[in-house]
Structure formats: structure tokens, C-alpha cells
Amino acid sequence: MVSTVPSVSVTYAHNGSSTKANALGMRPMQERVYEKRGEQYLLIKSPPASGKSRALMFVVLDKLANQGLKQAIIVVPERSIGASFNDEPLTRYGFWADWHVEPKWNLCNAPGGDNGGKVNSVEVFLGSGDKVLVCTHATFRFAVDRFGIEAFDDRLIAVDEFHHVSADPDSKLGQHLGQLIAREKTHIVAMTGSYFRGDAVPVLAPQDEAKFESVTYTYYEQLNGYEYLKQLDIGYFFYSGSYADDILAVLDPAEKTIIHIPNVNSRESTKDKIKEVEHIIGALGDWQGIDAATGFQLVKTPDGRTLRIADLVDDDANKRDRVSLALKDPAQKNNRDHVDIIIALGMAKEGFDWIWCEHALTVGYRSSLTEIVQIIGRATRDAPNKTRARFTNLIAEPDAAEDAVTEAVNDTLKAIAASLLMEQVLAPRFEFKPKNPQSGPTPGFDYGEGGYDPNKCNVGFSEERGVFQFEIKGFVEPNSYEATRICQQDLNEVIAAFVQDKTTIERGLFDDELVPEELTQVRMGKIVKDKYPELSDEDQEAVRQHAIAALNITQQAKQSMLDRVSGEPTANTALIDGVRKFAMDVRELDIDLIDRINPFKEAYSILAKTMNEERLQQVKAAIAAKRTTLTPEEAKDYAVRAVKFKKERGRLPSISSTDAWEKLLAEGAAAFVRFKDEGRYE
């Protein structure tokens, strides 16, 4: 039987605002993007299904008609996404022009290889009077290699799914974009539905990214403004044995579901993907044959319904392509009964549009957080009578064998990290202000019953903007433009690096002797310093405080949402109520209080309730065995904070203090002196 971990359950207002169009036919996100249409470099960060493709159409049409650009080239990561840029009658909804791409210039539909006829087509297009071309990232890379950067002067390059790009020297697309930016004769629009990369390499070099004007539209804004969908659940579930035996414990055949089975090289895979699909189909009911028109498998359930199942795992390319084409049939887009369950391995993730999907069920940990966001995005489309959506990650429990324990523990930690980060992505935006005698209310914010109180730290909420505002004692504000930008736009990047740091999450979950400041101050401080070495010490501290405040307030809000008796999320309670409750439960919000919270405490309490006790102790032992003594670098960090402690309190930290953090600072400072005497520092 599958062990159940209570999911994050976020309830939204579903007020319909994000799907309502203005006089030009633009939804709020698209309107926000269109306001920035004059920018040479534009970066759009917006969730899957929020309408980025159409937002780009509006911008492209304006740049071609009113900004003097010759042509636009839209670059997508894979051919299937090219369909997002099919013709659209925009004038029907109030815009001044329709969107049209000549069929021969949508190279995603053209035969041939990326480095053959398609590159030749790009050359013909560049010399033609036509305006818009759609091609894959690969085709564009080969075209730039062959024709040079100069060939794209006075043109717009729009890069969809921008998180595929990397500043890594091995990333050709990243190199090409860097060269285009350096030449300054091309306009660039970059779009991404992910808030972070799955690895440590930045998408753009910092000096290039600084040139982009960003438009950010959050998950909270999108989901809060839907007409139908009002609840999103995210959960991870443990199983033992073969996942195919237990899958019906989390798979509800009545829900429209995309199942992503594990990669054949992963621990969860049985190494026979075809048999796994057959096993899932067999568990659902009696096979009735294959639908002649679509290639879907027909399965009769015990309650007499016939499920239509699309198998995208089949190795027979002809069968798989037939099923894939049936799923993309535009005539069936609004037909809820067209298909019931889709089983995939590497397909049906990014850019796959099935509005009826209610459940994204993924077996095995996905190494990239970006991939997880994309999979969740398959279930977050708004559709009539679809009020709830969920993402489930099915993970194998640790095995008794030692080598398997290590791998299983790593997967478990990564799944928890992904869950923590998704909670952050789904929350409203946080703004933090230092509390001082001059503090006052900000127009547009609701400060709750009694209004703004000048004698305490206030918490305000702007429903219209989807933003919480916190006043915090001792809080450091950023000084530079870059630090301010990071605090406003990139906190999730910082939090992603923190929760993915192996030492951090291991100690946060399993070290009973942990002093929380070891993580919140020292580990987070080091991560910020490594990530943004160009920032001043004060700006690094500002970023650290913003990131840890956002993470810990979300975690404390989650605890406030749980029913005190059952430990389960209370019905119809949004994260917003939990944030308010946490703020009311503490007398004063100050940064020292926030730093004293272990960010992983709530995640551990969930694990402890659900994982087999013997296995949990096994995991704890595996982590404890790896614990190491203080390194010279860590000792130096503690010594720096000990100096700060002395400045604030007029005395050095005491090694005999009853305060665990003060004692740790004293020990760290003593270790620093010892290492220095030993010549361990240059």
C-alpha cells in the first residue's frame, strides 16, 4: 500500500480576472507584456498556460508594424511547440491585426533535418519580404553558425522556453544570444514558464541579463484569476516493491490524468517500459482493443466505463505518431471525452496543451526542477467544471541494502526540495520593509482588522497585486539596483539553490542537534555569496534576509493551515490565511526570530508521520554517518558573524552561553583562530 504524505493544498479565489480580456483582446499578463513592447530586450517570466504565445504575437506585430524591424524569427525547443504559433484571428477580439505565418515558414512542420533543408529555408526567408518564421532552437543554432550574427540585424529573435538556454560555454544558443546582445542590432524577446533552472548554470551572463526588462506574472496571479480551477494540490507518495502494483492507490481512473513513467535508467524502472504500460492498463480494467481512428487503447473498468488511454511509450514510431497526432487534433481541443489517461515517458511535458488534465502523476524523481514545473503546468489549465488539479510524485522508499539506501535518500531529499520550492512558487509575492519610527501604511494594502498600527510590525495584503507586505525589525534593505532586482524577481532562484544544497537539507531534516542559524545565516549566506560575488557585503546580507524570510514565512504559514487536531489541511483554506495567522501568532516580526526557524521542520514532521519508522531511522543513520567537523572556510564564516555579534552587543559571544547560536559562534571563532595559527589560511 502506498504511504501518503499530506500534500500542499492551495486554494485560490477563482475570480476570473486572469482569463478576462481587455478591448484589444489581451488578458492581464498579455497586457502587462504589451506595455513593455518598446523594449529592445524583453524577458517574460510567466507560468505554463498563462498565454505567453499570444502575448508574443501582440509584441511581434507591433515591432514589425511600428518599430521598424524587418522580420521576426520565433525559436522553440521542439517541433511540437511550433503549433502554438498557428494563425490566430486577433482582430475578432479587438486587436488591429491578425496573426499569420505562411505555412512554408513554419519549419516545425517541414520535412528534413535541422542542419539541412531547414537551414536553407532560413536563408531564403532572410532574403524574402515575408515577416515571420518559426523554427526549432537547433535550426536557429545551425543558421547562425552558417550565416553569422550580422544576418539577423534589424530583426526580432523570440526564444520560447528560454530556460533551455545557458551561459555555459558549451551552450551554442547561449553563445549566439550573447553575441547578438553584444552587437546591439537585434531585438530579443525571451519567454519561460519556469522560475529557475534545474542546474547551477545561469541562463544568461549577469551583464547580459541586466539589459533585459523583465515582466513577471506569478502562479498566484494566474490561478487566483482563473474562472473554474480553484484548488491545486502537490504531494509526494512513497511505495515499496514495484510501482505498477500500487499505482491505483494514487491514480483515480475518474480523473483526467497524465502518467509519466520512470526513465529506464532510474531506480524506479523495472527496465521494461512496455510491460509497465501493460501492467498499468491491466490494473485499470479489461482491454477492449484499439480505437481505429485515434490509436487509443480502450479499457473497460470494473464499474462499466470505457477508458480511452493514449500510449506515448510504444516503441513503434508509426503507432506513437498516430496517437500523438490524435492528441493534437484541433477539432478535439474542447472535447473532454476525447481521451481519459495519457501514459508517457519523455513526451507530453513542455508545451503540451490538454486543458482537461486534472492530475499529473509522475513516477520517480525528476532531476530538474524545471521539468517538474513543466509537468505541473500540464494540469494547471483552466477548463469548464474543472475545480481541482493535482501533481503527485511517486517515489520508492529506501531499500535495506546500503548502496540503494544512499540513492533512495537522495531521491527523497530532492523530492522534498522540489515540494518546498513549488510551495514558494505558488505563494503570493512577498515584499519586506524594515520597521522603524517613520514606517507607515502603503496605499492599496489591507492591514486586517483594526488597520495599520504604527506601534507594531504590520502585515498588509494587496488582493489586486497578489502581494504580501511585511514590516520586520532589524531588516536590511538592498542598496544597489542589482540587489533590488534579485530581491524583487529572483528570490526563488536563491531559495532553489538553498533547498537543493545537499548538506543543508540533510542537516535541516535529520540533525537533532542543529542550531537553525547554521542554515539560515551561515549556509544561506554562503550560497548568496557564491551566487552573487559581485554584490557588496550589505547587499548580500539583504538578499540572504529576503530569501530566508520568504522561505520561512511560507513554511510557518503551511503549519498554520494545518488543523491542530488532525494535522490535515483545513478545507478551503488558502496559503494567504496561513500567512496572516503566523503573523498574528508572533508578537513582533524580527529578523532574529525568522533566522531561528529551521526551514525544514515542517517537511520532517510530514515525513515522520508517513515513512516507515524503521526506514526513517535508517535514513537518519545514513546521514549521521556522513557528518563532518568544521572546515576552515566555515570557521571563517562563523568568525565574521562573531565580529558582527560583538558590534551589535558590545561583547564577544561566550562559549558557555545557554544560547546555542551564541555558543556556536564562539566555537567557530575559536576554531578560526586555531586554523589561522596552523597556517590554514593564505
Side-chain angles (χ1 to χ4, degrees):
M1 186 64 188
V2 173
S3 307
T4 303
V5 176
S7 63
V8 184
S9 184
V10 189
T11 309
Y12 295 91
H14 71 117
N15 58 32
S17 63
S18 66
T19 54
K20 284 194 175 79
N22 66 7
L24 291 174
M26 298 176 191
R27 283 149 49 182
M29 183 278 281
Q30 295 157 352
E31 188 174 10
R32 196 178 296 177
V33 170
Y34 194 64
E35 285 170 2
K36 304 277 189 181
R37 63 191 180 280
E39 298 290 338
Q40 183 173 2
Y41 304 120
L42 188 58
L43 175 58
I44 304 167
K45 295 181 181 179
S46 186
S50 58
K52 291 188 293 296
S53 302
R54 188 164 293 200
L56 179 61
M57 293 175 189
F58 293 126
V59 171
V60 169
L61 288 168
D62 188 85
K63 284 189 177 289
L64 292 173
N66 302 320
Q67 297 180 42
L69 293 187
K70 294 176 183 173
Q71 294 175 313
I73 297 174
I74 296 169
V75 186
V76 299
E78 57 183 70
R79 287 185 304 150
S80 63
I81 299 177
S84 301
F85 298 97
N86 288 344
D87 289 2
E88 286 289 348
L90 301 178
T91 54
R92 186 186 298 170
Y93 310 107
F95 198 61
W96 45 264
D98 286 330
W99 175 258
H100 174 66
V101 180
E102 287 290 330
K104 66 178 177 179
W105 298 134
N106 191 334
L107 302 186
C108 294
N109 299 331
D114 290 310
N115 198 15
K118 293 187 181 183
V119 173
N120 296 335
S121 294
V122 174
E123 183 177 28
V124 176
F125 170 78
L126 292 171
S128 76
D130 287 327
K131 294 297 183 184
V132 183
L133 177 134
V134 182
C135 69
T136 62
H137 288 186
T139 298
F140 181 71
R141 289 197 309 268
F142 289 126
V144 175
D145 281 341
R146 193 182 301 181
F147 310 128
I149 293 294
E150 302 80 6
F152 301 92
D153 285 356
D154 304 318
R155 289 170 173 85
L156 169 68
I157 308 299
V159 184
D160 196 14
E161 308 296 359
F162 192 61
H163 48 270
H164 285 263
V165 179
S166 169
D168 190 293
D170 294 333
S171 168
K172 292 287 284 187
L173 188 53
Q175 279 182 45
H176 291 333
L177 284 170
Q179 292 164 358
L180 286 166
I181 292 167
R183 186 168 169 79
E184 295 188 335
K185 293 194 174 180
T186 304
H187 286 221
I188 297 172
V189 177
M191 307 191 297
T192 178
S194 300
Y195 287 75
F196 34 75
R197 288 183 58 81
D199 53 41
V201 182
V203 173
L204 282 175
Q207 66 272 20
D208 288 337
E209 186 160 341
K211 294 178 182 176
F212 278 77
E213 179 69 25
S214 288
V215 177
T216 301
Y217 192 70
T218 65
Y219 254 106
Y220 183 86
E221 289 177 287
Q222 181 190 1
L223 290 164
N224 207 49
Y226 271 170
E227 189 174 351
Y228 305 103
L229 184 62
K230 65 178 179 180
Q231 183 177 335
L232 177 61
D233 300 341
I234 293 179
Y236 43 96
F237 298 80
F238 296 112
Y239 69 92
S240 54
S242 167
Y243 81 85
D245 293 335
D246 272 342
I247 199 161
L248 282 190
V250 289
L251 171 60
D252 180 353
E255 287 182 325
K256 302 292 184 182
T257 304
I258 295 179
I259 304 168
H260 281 106
I261 68 169
N263 183 291
V264 289
N265 297 317
S266 73
R267 190 169 50 93
E268 287 85 359
S269 174
T270 64
K271 313 307 175 194
D272 189 336
K273 60 184 183 180
I274 306 302
K275 278 215 170 113
E276 288 175 31
V277 173
E278 289 173 354
H279 199 124
I280 293 168
I281 288 173
L284 289 166
D286 295 326
W287 187 70
Q288 304 291 301
I290 293 176
D291 181 81
T294 61
F296 297 163
Q297 310 276 343
L298 303 176
V299 175
K300 194 167 189 178
T301 63
D303 63 3
R305 289 185 310 121
T306 298
L307 296 176
R308 298 169 62 80
I309 301 174
D311 175 8
L312 291 173
V313 180
D314 198 314
D315 280 326
D316 185 325
N318 290 328
K319 287 183 186 174
R320 195 174 62 239
D321 288 349
R322 182 171 154 220
V323 169
S324 185
L325 278 171
L327 290 173
K328 291 178 197 165
D329 182 356
Q332 301 295 337
K333 184 175 181 179
N334 295 317
N335 178 9
R336 190 180 189 280
D337 298 323
H338 182 52
V339 66
D340 297 295
I341 293 173
I342 297 171
I343 305 176
L345 204 160
M347 299 172 75
K349 296 175 188 172
E350 190 173 79
F352 181 79
D353 190 6
W354 181 32
I355 64 170
W356 305 107
C357 177
E358 297 163 295
H359 188 190
L361 172 55
T362 299
V363 184
Y365 174 71
R366 292 319 199 243
S367 60
S368 160
L369 287 164
T370 293
E371 185 178 354
I372 292 168
V373 174
Q374 291 292 346
I375 290 173
I376 292 172
R378 299 320 100 206
T380 56
R381 263 79 171 155
D382 202 28
N385 300 315
K386 175 180 162 184
T387 57
R388 177 182 175 230
R390 60 185 178 126
F391 166 72
T392 304
N393 198 179
L394 204 53
I395 302 160
E397 272 195 337
D399 194 290
E402 193 175 322
D403 56 343
V405 164
T406 306
E407 194 180 339
V409 167
N410 287 342
D411 283 355
T412 301
L413 296 181
K414 288 171 185 173
I416 292 169
S419 179
L420 290 169
L421 195 51
M422 281 312 302
E423 289 165 26
Q424 214 60 47
V425 168
L426 293 168
R429 285 176 69 172
F430 294 147
E431 286 180 0
F432 302 107
K433 297 170 68 176
K435 177 65 177 176
N436 54 51
Q438 293 76 42
S439 298
T442 303
F445 281 85
D446 170 17
Y447 294 94
E449 198 174 326
Y452 185 89
D453 183 346
N455 298 314
K456 70 170 193 177
C457 292
N458 292 271
V459 177
F461 182 62
S462 168
E463 178 111 24
E464 185 183 349
R465 292 172 55 204
V467 174
F468 265 110
Q469 183 193 86
F470 294 87
E471 291 180 337
I472 300 176
K473 283 187 174 175
F475 206 72
V476 176
E477 285 193 293
N479 289 320
S480 67
Y481 169 81
E482 177 61 8
T484 303
R485 185 194 68 77
I486 293 164
C487 290
Q488 288 175 350
Q489 298 178 18
D490 279 356
L491 283 189
N492 285 337
E493 294 277 356
V494 180
I495 292 169
F498 180 73
V499 299
Q500 286 180 288
D501 181 71
K502 209 167 162 197
T503 304
T504 297
I505 195 167
E506 284 178 349
R507 295 205 59 205
L509 284 169
F510 298 112
D511 186 349
D512 294 330
E513 296 174 8
L514 173 79
V515 179
E517 289 94 333
E518 293 181 70
L519 301 185
T520 58
Q521 289 197 22
V522 179
R523 292 301 296 183
M524 180 66 95
K526 183 177 186 308
I527 281 165
V528 171
K529 197 173 283 190
D530 291 347
K531 199 169 177 62
Y532 304 109
E534 72 287 352
L535 295 182
S536 68
D537 289 350
E538 191 171 0
D539 274 346
Q540 286 176 349
E541 176 62 7
V543 172
R544 182 201 75 76
Q545 288 187 9
H546 274 75
I548 208 66
L551 176 60
N552 266 343
I553 285 172
T554 301
Q555 289 306 301
Q556 292 302 297
K558 184 175 70 172
Q559 172 59 27
S560 297
M561 288 163 60
L562 296 182
D563 182 272
R564 303 291 178 185
V565 179
S566 70
E568 295 293 324
T570 51
N572 300 319
T573 301
L575 186 67
I576 178 170
D577 296 324
V579 172
R580 278 197 189 283
K581 187 166 190 330
F582 165 66
M584 285 167 59
D585 284 352
V586 297
R587 281 183 53 205
E588 285 288 84
L589 272 175
D590 66 65
I591 191 60
D592 289 342
L593 177 146
I594 289 167
D595 279 341
R596 284 197 294 271
I597 298 169
N598 176 358
F600 302 96
K601 184 169 174 257
E602 301 311 324
Y604 179 78
S605 67
I606 290 172
L607 266 184
K609 285 175 194 164
T610 54
M611 192 183 272
N612 174 291
E613 175 65 23
E614 184 186 340
R615 291 211 166 114
L616 188 63
Q617 292 309 316
Q618 208 174 33
V619 170
K620 267 187 151 180
I623 301 293
K626 299 192 320 187
R627 206 162 291 159
T628 56
T629 52
L630 209 61
T631 66
E633 187 183 7
E634 287 168 337
K636 190 174 182 180
D637 283 337
Y638 283 113
V640 168
R641 293 190 181 275
V643 170
K644 189 181 173 198
F645 180 97
K646 185 185 178 187
K647 276 183 188 169
E648 289 171 352
R649 310 204 189 177
R651 62 177 178 83
L652 284 167
S654 167
I655 205 143
S656 58
S657 172
T658 54
D659 180 85
W661 175 235
E662 182 179 342
K663 185 179 177 186
L664 199 59
L665 287 178
E667 290 170 352
F672 171 73
V673 172
R674 191 170 66 250
F675 285 138
K676 199 172 179 186
D677 290 344
E678 292 170 1
R680 302 283 286 274
Y681 300 105
E682 291 180 2

